[in-house]
Amino acid sequence: MIRNLIYLVVVGAAVAVAVWLADRPGSVVLEWQGWQLETSLGIAALAVVVVAVVVGLLWVSWSWLVRRPHEWGLRRQLKRQRAGMEALADGLVAIAAGDSDAAARHGRRAGALLEHAPMTLLLEAQTAQIAGDDEAARRAFEKMLEAPETEFLGLRGLITDAMRAGDDGRALAHARRAYALKPRTPWVLDTMIALHSRAGEWREAQRLVEESQKSRRSSGTAGRRQQAALLTERARTARGAGNAAEAYAQARKAAELDPALAPANELVARLVADDGRTRRARKMLEKAWAECPHPALVAAYLDIAVGAADPLDRYKAVEMLVRPAREHSESRFAVAEAALDAGLWGEARKQLGTLVETTATPRVFRLMARLGEVDAVDESRAEDWLERAAQADADSAWVCGDCGTVADDWSAVCGHCGAFATLDWTQPPRVHRAVVAPAADRDPQVSGDA
């Protein structure tokens, strides 16, 4: 619509000029080097227009001829880049499929077409990784450090490689460089915290956690959990060095930040008991049991309250500890175990009967087996309970939320993957084994020809 209006305006202006010239006839005389040219004003104006059009056409043609080679080169370059990006995408798909040969082939093609652009190094590194060539992958990641656009990716690959090799010093050096490039990236900060923690540099790790919280890079719950883990480890270190005052201060703060962290509650109670305040330590463990029952709290409570006293006294102490959460499965198990040690078969059978129905785990069945061996009234066979224990879901344990590894004891750092503050007291996932029936036993309607 706008173009049509512009066209009409231009045509109207041209017609108006032509009419104006027609109404005002005149002549134009041009003298040059003895030559004289005389014509009307209209013809002169038309000649000027024709000359302008011819000059314009010549200029456009010349510009087109000058630009043409550059356009051809640019078009060819764009075509190569398009083919190179397709090869790069195909290589990444091959890596996802685990086909190292196809990934290498596409990587070579992408490198040739893209003139070994920095992004092709990522494909080269990942191809070497799935092929098991760690040295080639490391070289590719190191080359990526030379280009600003791939430096951060190269650092991540080198950090992962160093941590896999157990070279925490090299991993920390690369992590610091990555942190300088992108300090707001969560995985960089988490990696530095984990590396400092693995090295026992708890103060530096805590500084990074506090920095993360101040900049709101980690949530309040996650930040408190990390701080509690760090403070617990610092308390352990201080206690081992004989500094009970500092150990108590760190452990108490850890328990306040994360009341469900059993190792912190256990440690602060033992430190209070070491200071002679046994009653205070018992109250602290009873409060912790109400928050989150845990077997470690039972052991600490018995050590503090009764020591190696009579089994009946230990049973009474357990009764006192579990009172705030009497119906919890951990409470029932602790009472059942103490009752069994004290020879109170009826109480043990009562608690275990409930656990068999609600929390059927191996340790419950093992206690049932013990009860069957010592209680004449119990007609069940210990072998049957032990067989059920072998088939039951696993008992709760310290499980890493990142890699799923089960640890015997709590630690701020996973001993398998190096993740920080990821151990939770939970039931490990059950591993199911697929059983394939023999060919002769399979349903012919399923395994036969369709």
Side-chain angles (χ1 to χ4, degrees):
M1 181 65 180
I2 295 177
R3 288 183 178 180
N4 293 335
L5 289 175
I6 294 175
Y7 175 75
L8 291 175
V9 170
V10 171
V11 171
V15 171
V17 170
V19 171
W20 185 83
L21 291 175
D23 292 340
R24 294 168 178 79
S27 61
V28 176
V29 178
L30 178 64
E31 292 184 2
W32 182 69
Q33 296 291 325
W35 292 85
Q36 181 175 341
L37 178 65
E38 183 176 356
T39 184
S40 65
L41 180 62
I43 297 299
L46 179 61
V48 169
V49 171
V50 171
V51 170
V53 170
V54 171
V55 170
L57 290 174
L58 290 174
W59 174 255
V60 170
S61 300
W62 173 256
S63 299
W64 180 82
L65 290 174
V66 170
R67 292 197 311 268
R68 193 60 178 173
H70 176 70
E71 290 177 354
W72 283 341
L74 183 61
R75 184 177 300 175
R76 182 171 178 272
Q77 183 180 0
L78 291 175
K79 185 176 180 180
R80 285 177 61 85
Q81 287 183 350
R82 189 180 301 110
M85 295 303 295
E86 290 177 357
L88 187 63
D90 291 339
L92 294 175
V93 171
I95 288 175
D99 190 346
S100 59
D101 294 336
R105 185 172 63 255
H106 291 304
R108 288 191 296 270
R109 176 172 170 77
L113 292 171
L114 299 177
E115 299 179 353
H116 299 284
M119 283 304 298
T120 61
L121 292 172
L122 178 61
L123 178 59
E124 179 183 342
Q126 292 185 339
T127 302
Q129 283 182 327
I130 65 173
D133 192 347
D134 294 336
E135 185 63 30
R138 190 178 304 116
R139 288 196 300 269
F141 285 128
E142 289 173 349
K143 290 180 183 178
M144 292 172 67
L145 303 183
E146 300 173 2
E149 59 268 30
T150 57
E151 181 181 5
F152 190 72
L153 288 174
L155 287 170
R156 180 160 195 174
L158 290 172
I159 291 170
T160 304
D161 176 72
M163 293 184 70
R164 187 185 298 115
D167 191 347
D168 291 351
R170 181 162 60 92
L172 184 57
H174 292 311
R176 284 172 175 158
R177 183 172 172 180
Y179 180 74
L181 290 174
K182 295 182 180 294
R184 295 184 177 275
T185 306
W187 73 262
V188 175
L189 197 61
D190 291 342
T191 300
M192 291 185 66
I193 293 172
L195 289 170
H196 281 299
S197 300
R198 287 167 64 168
E201 300 172 355
W202 305 114
R203 291 183 181 275
E204 182 63 20
Q206 186 175 356
R207 183 190 66 79
L208 291 170
V209 170
E210 293 172 352
E211 179 184 337
S212 176
Q213 285 186 296
K214 289 179 182 178
S215 60
R216 297 183 180 179
R217 287 196 291 266
S218 61
S219 64
T221 302
R224 287 193 297 271
R225 176 188 176 93
Q226 290 180 337
Q227 282 211 53
L230 283 167
L231 290 168
T232 302
E233 292 288 8
R234 288 185 61 183
R236 287 179 172 182
T237 303
R239 189 188 188 196
N243 192 343
E246 182 180 353
Y248 171 73
Q250 305 294 350
R252 182 178 179 181
K253 188 176 180 181
E256 291 173 353
L257 287 170
D258 189 0
L261 186 58
N265 289 304
E266 176 193 1
L267 182 55
V268 70
R270 290 187 182 276
L271 288 166
V272 170
D274 292 342
D275 194 38
R277 295 178 289 169
T278 304
R279 181 179 176 82
R280 170 67 175 164
R282 291 175 60 179
K283 293 296 183 183
M284 294 177 72
L285 287 172
E286 290 167 8
K287 181 180 179 181
W289 189 269
E291 290 285 346
C292 186
H294 190 276
L297 302 181
V298 178
Y301 193 85
L302 291 176
D303 291 343
I304 294 170
V306 294
D310 183 76
L312 188 58
D313 292 335
R314 295 172 68 84
Y315 168 77
K316 292 178 181 178
V318 171
E319 282 277 346
M320 183 68 67
L321 171 65
V322 305
R323 186 176 297 175
R326 178 83 184 179
E327 303 302 318
H328 196 277
S329 59
E330 288 291 347
S331 299
R332 291 187 179 278
F333 183 84
V335 171
E337 189 173 32
L340 190 57
D341 292 338
L344 304 176
W345 319 132
E347 180 64 20
R349 188 183 307 108
K350 172 185 173 182
Q351 300 297 337
L352 289 174
T354 303
L355 288 173
V356 168
E357 296 177 358
T358 60
T359 314
T361 60
R363 62 175 183 164
V364 173
F365 291 134
R366 286 194 291 267
L367 273 190
M368 288 296 296
R370 280 184 57 192
L371 181 63
E373 290 176 348
V374 298
D375 185 9
V377 178
D378 194 332
E379 298 180 354
S380 61
R381 297 175 54 203
E383 293 80 2
D384 295 336
W385 290 116
L386 292 176
E387 183 178 351
R388 293 184 64 179
Q391 300 175 355
D393 291 338
D395 290 302
S396 294
W398 292 112
V399 182
C400 176
D402 280 8
C403 66
T405 299
V406 179
D408 294 333
D409 299 311
W410 178 88
S411 175
V413 180
C414 174
H416 180 259
C417 68
F420 174 71
T422 56
L423 292 183
D424 283 315
W425 183 257
T426 185
Q427 190 175 47
R430 184 178 179 87
V431 179
H432 296 277
R433 182 177 62 184
V435 179
V436 181
D441 298 336
R442 295 177 188 170
D443 189 344
Q445 295 181 349
V446 177
S447 59
D449 296 333

